[in-house]
Amino acid sequence: MIALSLGGLLGPQSAFAQQQILFIRAGIPTTGTPDIGMSDTGTIENTTTIDTNTASQNPALGHDHSLSLHYKDISKADWFYDKVISLAINGIVGGYSDGSFKPRKSITRAEMASFLARAKSLQATGTEPFGDVNETDWFSKDVAAVLQAGIMNGTTPALFSPSGLLTREQVSAIIVRAAGMDGVTDIQEQNRWLQGLKDRRSISLWARPYAAAAIKYNLMGGYPSKELRPSGVVTRAETSVLIWNILYKEIRESGGYPTYVAPYLPKPTIIFPQQKQVVFTKNYSVTAQIDPESSTQELWVNGKLVQIKHASGSNTVTFTGLKAINRTYSISVRTKNGSASTSTGVVSYYCLQAPSNHDHLIVIDKSEFRLYWIIDGFLKKIYQVAIGRDGMATPNAEWIVGQKYKTDPKGVYGPRKMRLYGLINGTYEYTRYGIHGTNEPWVIGTRASHGCIRLRNKDILDLWPQVGVGDHVITQP
């Protein structure tokens, strides 16, 4: 049996000892009864004893394990469970005196300072002159430590605001500094790392370098909805995962893995193209964020292995020379290192030959009788259409929506119509073509109109309010 102190984790230990603690922290089943508590003032109360003789050789982070430490308000089904338990065993985070962890409670600035000071083994020299931090406060030394380390600042020169909450963009800056990294200052590189976020334009200018760096170095990611939510507050569970990511990165870079375990590979992430993203060129590439320790990377397209790379030591891998032949593709990236292997989820995207510089774009593919509605480069929806009949074919052209109006629901245009203005001699001019509904739904999927684009009435009612005057339209073979 060995006793682990609940003080600083990354203090003066050998790299190998640090790695051992990491894997105890990261999910090796243990026996014993850890008795870790944080009082309502935030102080850690004691140490825990772990039986290393019964430790499993499975280092897989995030896998189920049988740690006996228990908080009444979290379970193994929670996405953050392993990380919270791992940090709690090492005294970096703790629960409350009522036996709860309060994972969904917003973290305060004082708690963040305390968690980081423990995780980084920071020691303050003296105190800091904040008017709202007293020497007797349980967090006073931690606040001084993170301030002196350059990880956190006050909200003003005179105030720390210990009870204040932190936004996600503020936390991105904090964790990047805590990891010893710099923000991404190159604008093009920033855009590359942030392009998959639908709310990237909501990130404050000062925070963009840190948000990009947090994503680049696998410290922080977006939500499944492809949002960063930069102004949203951060919970105790989310903070635990972020701190765990920092420590995992440091341990990995300190000398690799212990010899008695196979390397764990975090899942790669496809950066481009994103789910439902539209690729506008015939020749394109696929880029994925990978763990630097993966030795082999495979690109699978529509269930077939098409490329193999060996980008060891890199954070990203790019598969080039891909040609768009079909409209729809499903891809995944698989990484390997020895016996370890993991892959991304399947990403489905679309290849359309159209200009890529429009925020809102309609592409009508006449060969498929389909209308693609695209917002910010991502496919919003596909509608089936009818196009011009023989002798009255729908032209291949570039248009804008010049007018929108309601029509007689019982008439030839159905309930709504959008007039298309054609690009003629460099300017958009009125034409007889449009996009409208139909009271003959059986013609959808055929060449039946006088050249206009027909949709089912329910579809035009769905599309019409989303499209603005001036939005671009492409009709193509």
Side-chain angles (χ1 to χ4, degrees):
M1 303 282 283
I2 62 171
L4 295 182
S5 168
L6 296 188
L9 177 64
L10 298 179
Q13 310 171 60
S14 70
F16 184 80
Q18 292 175 5
Q19 294 163 26
Q20 288 179 309
I21 294 177
L22 169 70
F23 283 102
I24 293 173
R25 183 170 78 242
I28 296 178
T30 62
T31 60
T33 307
D35 181 19
I36 297 175
M38 178 183 281
S39 71
D40 292 331
T41 61
T43 56
I44 291 290
E45 295 175 347
N46 56 10
T47 59
T48 184
T49 302
I50 297 176
D51 185 354
T52 56
N53 294 324
T54 59
S56 163
Q57 300 305 303
N58 177 13
L61 313 183
H63 284 199
D64 186 18
H65 58 72
S66 57
L67 288 171
S68 55
L69 186 148
H70 175 70
Y71 293 117
K72 66 182 183 182
D73 55 352
I74 69 174
S75 70
K76 293 179 180 180
D78 291 319
W79 64 273
F80 50 80
Y81 176 82
D82 281 326
K83 278 69 173 181
V84 168
I85 296 299
S86 299
L87 296 183
I89 286 176
N90 287 276
I92 294 170
V93 303
Y96 291 82
S97 56
D98 63 355
S100 67
F101 184 76
K102 296 182 173 56
R104 294 164 185 86
K105 176 180 177 289
S106 298
I107 193 162
T108 66
R109 289 172 54 82
E111 288 175 322
M112 175 65 84
S114 182
F115 288 178
L116 287 170
R118 293 176 192 148
K120 301 287 292 180
S121 298
L122 301 177
Q123 298 294 326
T125 55
T127 58
E128 293 302 324
F130 288 122
D132 54 358
V133 178
N134 299 316
E135 287 191 38
T136 55
D137 290 332
W138 62 267
F139 50 80
S140 62
K141 292 183 179 179
D142 296 330
V143 168
V146 295
L147 186 73
Q148 292 167 16
I151 295 174
M152 292 182 69
N153 300 310
T155 53
T156 72
L159 298 175
F160 185 76
S161 304
S163 299
L165 304 181
L166 290 158
T167 65
R168 284 176 58 82
E169 67 178 13
Q170 289 171 339
V171 168
S172 71
I174 291 170
I175 62 170
V176 167
R177 295 188 199 114
M181 310 305 296
D182 295 321
V184 175
T185 56
D186 181 79
I187 300 301
Q188 289 186 337
E189 188 180 1
Q190 280 181 25
N191 293 336
R192 183 161 64 89
W193 290 107
L194 299 176
Q195 68 177 348
L197 299 171
K198 294 191 292 187
D199 58 352
R200 58 191 179 277
R201 293 184 178 89
S202 300
I203 304 172
S204 300
L205 287 178
W206 71 264
R208 288 177 65 86
Y210 296 107
I215 295 171
K216 176 179 180 179
Y217 297 114
N218 297 311
L219 300 175
M220 188 178 191
Y223 288 89
S225 60
K226 305 298 183 185
E227 297 173 301
L228 184 69
R229 301 176 192 172
S231 59
V233 295
V234 181
T235 66
R236 285 168 51 85
E238 290 171 329
T239 301
S240 299
V241 173
L242 295 174
I243 292 176
W244 189 93
N245 289 344
I246 293 170
L247 295 180
Y248 175 80
K249 181 177 183 296
E250 290 182 357
I251 295 298
R252 186 183 63 199
E253 292 176 352
S254 69
Y257 294 86
T259 56
Y260 60 85
V261 295
Y264 162 74
L265 286 178
K267 283 190 174 183
T269 302
I270 295 176
I271 302 170
F272 179 86
Q274 297 282 319
Q275 193 76 259
K276 292 190 175 182
Q277 190 164 5
V278 178
V279 175
F280 292 100
T281 58
K282 288 186 177 181
N283 300 303
Y284 67 99
S285 60
V286 171
T287 302
Q289 186 174 353
I290 59 173
D291 187 279
E293 294 189 12
S294 67
S295 57
T296 303
Q297 303 84 33
E298 300 174 348
L299 175 65
W300 293 72
V301 179
N302 294 343
K304 295 181 179 179
L305 177 62
V306 297
Q307 280 193 36
I308 299 176
K309 294 279 189 177
H310 301 283
S312 181
S314 174
N315 285 314
T316 60
V317 61
T318 299
F319 302 92
T320 59
L322 302 174
K323 296 186 181 299
I325 300 174
N326 302 319
R327 286 282 184 258
T328 305
Y329 289 90
S330 295
I331 59 171
S332 63
V333 173
R334 182 175 298 166
T335 57
K336 297 180 178 181
N337 188 351
S339 60
S341 175
T342 186
S343 64
T344 64
V346 174
V347 170
S348 296
Y349 60 98
Y350 303 85
C351 293
L352 300 173
Q353 307 312 308
S356 60
N357 57 340
H358 304 306
D359 290 341
H360 289 188
L361 177 65
I362 291 174
V363 176
I364 295 156
D365 189 303
K366 297 192 300 181
S367 65
E368 295 182 340
F369 301 97
R370 286 184 172 183
L371 184 155
Y372 294 85
W373 173 226
I374 301 161
I375 299 178
D376 290 333
F378 288 83
L379 183 70
K380 183 72 172 178
K381 202 163 186 179
I382 299 175
Y383 302 93
Q384 261 198 307
V385 299
I387 60 175
R389 67 183 67 167
D390 292 341
M392 294 183 171
T394 304
N396 302 323
E398 181 174 346
W399 325 72
I400 62 169
V401 176
Q403 293 175 294
K404 291 176 57 181
Y405 43 92
K406 297 179 181 179
T407 47
D408 180 2
K410 297 181 180 179
V412 65
Y413 298 130
R416 299 288 188 274
K417 183 175 181 179
M418 296 182 285
R419 174 74 67 182
L420 297 180
Y421 283 29
L423 185 60
I424 302 172
N425 297 324
T427 61
Y428 289 97
E429 299 182 9
Y430 178 90
T431 72
R432 66 183 181 84
Y433 297 100
I435 300 173
H436 57 75
T438 180
N439 287 306
E440 299 176 339
W442 54 87
V443 304
I444 298 299
T446 70
R447 293 177 172 84
S449 76
H450 292 177
C452 289
I453 310 301
R454 296 185 187 180
L455 286 82
R456 293 182 176 90
N457 286 342
K458 68 178 181 66
D459 290 340
I460 192 66
L461 288 171
D462 181 54
L463 177 64
W464 191 85
Q466 302 181 65
V467 177
V469 171
D471 284 353
H472 286 257
V473 179
I474 304 293
T475 49
Q476 59 185 30

